[in-house]
Structure formats: structure tokens, C-alpha cells
Amino acid sequence: MLHTLAISGYRSIRDLVLPLDRLTLVTGRNGTGKSSFYRALRLLAEVAQGRVIASLAAEGGLTSTLWAGPEKFSRALKQGEAPVEGLRRKDSVSLKLGFASEDYGYAIDLGMPKPPAGAFMLDPEIKAEAVWAGDVLSRRNVFASRAGPSVTALDPRGYREVITATMPPFESMMMHAADPKGLPELLHLRERMRSWRFYDHFRTDAEAPARRTRVGTRTPMLSADGGDLPAALQTIREIGDPDGLNAAIEDAFPGASLEVRSDNGRFELLMGQHGLLRALGPAELSDGTLRYLLLVAALLTPRPPELIVLNEPETSLHPDLLAPLARLIARAAKECQLVVVTHDDALKQALLAEDALHHELVKELGETLVPGAEELSWTWPSR
Ligand SMILES: Nc1ncnc2c1ncn2[C@@H]1O[C@H](COP(=O)(O)OP(=O)(O)OP(=O)(O)O)[C@@H](O)[C@H]1O
Ligand SMILES: [Mg+2]
């Protein structure tokens, strides 16, 4: 389980170190930083996929995702006695992301290339990384670390050795140094990060992937676009928890039944509803019904990953479905760790009743803060 998440220099998040629990609820008014929180966590997962730099570029590049306020707020400024004005940056440009879990911690620091950077002047570079054992990074517990192109790691005898001095600035040591013979711990941690799942606004329009029929293959984890929904539901029936699936459907749509029809191996989802003479096909399900089924398939996965993150799962659900959704989330949190970002009050209340750890984001002088969150110690790797 991840117990600490740290984000620095990402959009409105100047510096946050937050505790995470089995079930963590993140709420806040519009513009307080919920989506930024979600995206920062997703960027961290993308490091393990080798995609972090491409994703940053897709968001407009590091310079646009960086915290746009001053590096520090003076007391006079906080009390409104001084204007917010740009000083020359003393620290270098830096976006930092990290987490600590029950066994290992990982952090990454991204920055801009040193001039002259040639044609790739907006291409961010990985400046530092570290993997450590325990809660907070220190000289004693660091397992593998990277500063610029140089990666140092503990060898089996406990000595630190430079394992490469030529790590490219656009590649994470999690991608390159995670060699099963050399550093099995890094490989293990990377595979765990790769298992993290992010679900954000499933499409439910007429052309949505979840409404198409396609060849069914065994699907232990629903894909991010939900295109394999019928296969994921059938997989839950065959190797997962079919009773839990039926109960989740009954809880939300009393009297309804779900059928996955295989037509020569092509799967189609059908839903029988109380009062109807025939079952409805995927094109006929309402947006809310389809979205609920997608969440059911995601949360009842027979192969729970280390972490599932849901961004505003309440979108287009009728208020009546929020209590069943909260029960589904609470049930899933017994199998894997969950973070739910929402701005719906009913879902928030229902999840609070399920004992979720709650972080309410607020914005002060443009900065995302979480008043009342437990203060945790944290150390970033040095460049
Ligand atoms: N580079 C940046 N530096 C500082 N603030 C930024 C930066 N980029 C975006 N912001 C601000 O961060 C705030 C948080 O945005 P975010 O999208 O995370 O809010 P949200 O809580 O998801 O809101 P909503 O409920 O409307 O979706 C916005 O007010 C935005 O203007
Ligand atoms: Mg948002």
C-alpha cells in the first residue's frame, strides 16, 4: 500500500506531501486542484511505462505544467501587504513527484535542459531519481539513485557502485536499470507501478468503445477506455466473483440482469430490465447505466492492482446510483488501494461513511493546500 504521496511544482500544487489510506477521498471546489492531483499521480505511474516525458509534452511541456506562482510566499504577501511579484528564480525549474509505500519509496525530479540545448530546448530532462527502502529517503536507506546520467546502486554485498554513467536524460532508471539480474527490486517496483489503474471519464456517446461489439479475450483488468467491457464482465463471471457482480447490479438496478452474449466469439453486452420484453443491447443502454457497468467491471477486477484511481466517477450518474457506487468502492478497497477524486457531495458523504481518509483541497493565493492533513516528513533526491 502507498502511504505517502508527494508532489512539487505541478500546476497549482506547489508543495504537497499527503498521507494515503486504503481508501482516500480527494474533494474540493472548482479550480482547487483535484484534476492536477489526479494527473500528477498518473504522471508518476507513467514513469514506469516510459511515457512521462511524452505525457508532459502532451500537456504543453514542462514550462506550462510548472507552478506559475513565486517560489516562496513572504509573510507580508500572505497577509496581503505586498503584491505577488516575480523574483528571479533562485532554484532551478523543477517538477518533483514521489511516493512511499510499505516497503519501497520512489521519487523523480524533472527539469529543463542546460543551455545550449539545441533543437530540444523544451524537452524536459530527468535530473534525479531515487528508490529507497522505508518511509523517508536518506543516505542510509537509498537503494538506487540517479543524478543526471549517473546511476548508483547497492550491490548484493552492500557496496554502492556506479552501474552506468550514461543514462539518457529522457529515460528513467526504472526503465533501464531495472534488470532482473542486477536490481530485481527496481523491476518489482516498476511492475507494481505499471499495474496502477486510472479511470477518468469513460466515454458513453453513441460511438463509445464500450458500445461496440468485439472479439472477447480474457480481460482481468478493464482498459482505460472501457472498450473491453463485455469481456471484462465475462472474465469476472468465470474467474472472479460472479456473486459480487450480480449483487452490484442488483444493488443499482433492482430486477435487472446482465448477459454477455458470444456470437462466434464476438461479445455483446445485453441487459434485461424489469418491465421490458427483451434485453437491451449496448447501443440502447443509457449513459449512466453504461458508466455504472464500466465502474463495476473496473472495481470488481479478478486481479486487483496495487492501486486504482478514479477521477470524478459520479459523472452522469443519477444521485440514486451514488450510494451503490460508494458500496462498490468500499468493497473494492478491501482488495486493493483506492483513491477517489470527486466534487460530488453525496458521493463524498457516502464514502466518509465507509471510513475513507478525506483530503479537502483549498486554494490560497493560487496554491493548492490541504488544511488539517497530517504532516509527514519527506526528502527529495538531490540533483
Ligand atoms: N502552471 C500553473 N501554475 C499555477 N496554477 C495553475 C497552473 N496551471 C493551472 N493552474 C490552476 O490550477 C487550478 C487547479 O486546476 P484543476 O483543474 O486541478 O482544478 P479542479 O479542482 O480539478 O477543478 P474542477 O472542479 O473545475 O475540475 C486552476 O485554477 C488553474 O487555473
Ligand atoms: Mg477537475
Side-chain angles (χ1 to χ4, degrees):
M1 188 179 100
L2 276 58
H3 56 65
T4 307
L5 177 69
I7 305 167
S8 169
Y10 184 69
R11 299 191 183 273
S12 57
I13 304 177
R14 191 170 63 99
D15 247 315
L16 272 186
V17 180
L18 286 178
L20 298 180
D21 209 339
R22 287 290 317 163
L23 174 57
T24 307
L25 172 66
V26 178
T27 63
R29 304 172 64 148
N30 291 130
T32 48
K34 299 182 298 299
S35 298
S36 306
F37 176 89
Y38 173 84
R39 281 152 71 172
L41 194 46
R42 201 176 54 189
L43 274 179
L44 193 50
E46 280 169 344
V47 173
Q49 318 264 7
R51 282 205 314 256
V52 66
I53 298 220
S55 298
L56 273 173
E59 293 190 22
L62 191 57
T63 41
S64 108
T65 58
L66 277 179
W67 158 243
E71 285 170 280
K72 291 194 172 64
F73 287 116
S74 68
R75 184 145 13 112
L77 193 150
K78 281 202 167 163
Q79 291 165 350
E81 291 157 10
V84 181
E85 53 190 26
L87 302 170
R88 266 188 62 173
R89 266 189 181 276
K90 286 197 212 76
D91 298 337
S92 28
V93 164
S94 165
L95 161 61
K96 292 181 279 198
L97 304 164
F99 68 91
S101 66
E102 279 158 338
D103 44 12
Y104 297 113
Y106 170 77
I108 184 169
D109 175 357
L110 293 130
M112 295 309 288
K114 282 203 192 80
F120 292 103
M121 54 198 281
L122 289 181
D123 194 20
E125 289 188 348
I126 300 174
K127 301 288 186 181
E129 292 180 274
V131 171
W132 63 92
D135 292 345
V136 182
L137 170 65
S138 76
R139 286 168 71 89
R140 269 166 288 120
N141 66 10
V142 60
F143 215 87
S145 62
R146 174 228 187 111
S150 156
V151 178
T152 309
L154 275 190
D155 73 7
R157 295 161 302 153
Y159 294 111
R160 284 182 210 288
E161 59 172 354
V162 175
I163 55 172
T164 172
T166 55
M167 184 67 77
F170 50 87
E171 262 165 3
S172 162
M173 71 174 187
M174 298 301 273
M175 299 303 294
H176 261 238
D179 158 8
K181 277 192 260 112
L183 295 166
E185 293 80 5
L186 253 62
L187 187 69
H188 175 65
L189 187 62
R190 183 182 84 190
E191 291 313 303
R192 263 169 41 192
M193 290 168 73
R194 281 188 178 177
S195 80
W196 299 357
R197 283 293 175 276
F198 293 80
Y199 295 108
D200 180 17
H201 295 120
F202 288 115
R203 274 180 58 192
T204 55
D205 56 282
E207 303 299 318
R211 293 193 191 273
R212 287 185 217 140
T213 56
R214 58 151 113 164
V215 173
T217 55
R218 288 188 177 79
T219 305
M221 265 321 292
L222 183 74
S223 62
D225 71 1
D228 45 13
L229 174 65
L233 290 168
Q234 185 62 22
T235 308
I236 295 173
R237 287 231 161 110
E238 291 191 7
I239 63 165
D241 177 6
D243 297 337
L245 174 60
N246 292 340
I249 303 298
E250 181 63 27
D251 193 14
F253 313 108
S257 64
L258 206 60
E259 189 196 334
V260 178
R261 184 177 296 165
S262 167
D263 178 12
N264 279 325
R266 294 185 76 84
F267 280 17
E268 186 182 37
L269 186 65
L270 295 169
M271 193 167 173
Q273 284 174 10
H274 196 59
L276 293 187
L277 294 176
R278 65 168 178 87
L280 299 183
E284 297 165 319
L285 297 176
S286 78
D287 292 352
T289 306
L290 185 60
R291 195 159 276 146
Y292 188 83
L293 295 178
L294 284 157
L295 290 164
V296 168
L299 290 169
L300 293 183
T301 162
R303 298 267 188 281
E306 181 174 46
L307 176 71
I308 295 183
V309 189
L310 302 178
N311 191 31
E312 301 186 346
E314 71 276 6
T315 312
S316 92
L317 294 188
H318 185 270
D320 286 354
L321 284 181
L322 296 179
L325 175 62
R327 287 191 280 274
L328 188 64
I329 289 173
R331 187 197 157 101
K334 293 196 175 74
E335 305 296 327
C336 82
Q337 187 171 16
L338 270 165
V339 175
V340 181
V341 179
T342 174
H343 63 199
D344 184 88
D345 199 53
L347 185 61
K348 170 177 141 186
Q349 296 307 335
L351 289 177
L352 287 179
E354 301 286 355
D355 242 7
L357 171 66
H358 180 207
H359 295 312
E360 169 95 24
L361 309 186
V362 301
K363 204 150 108 175
E364 235 174 72
L365 287 171
E367 176 183 4
T368 297
L369 298 174
V370 187
E374 184 191 347
E375 297 218 1
L376 300 169
S377 40
W378 183 262
T379 306
W380 291 109
S382 44
R383 286 188 173 186

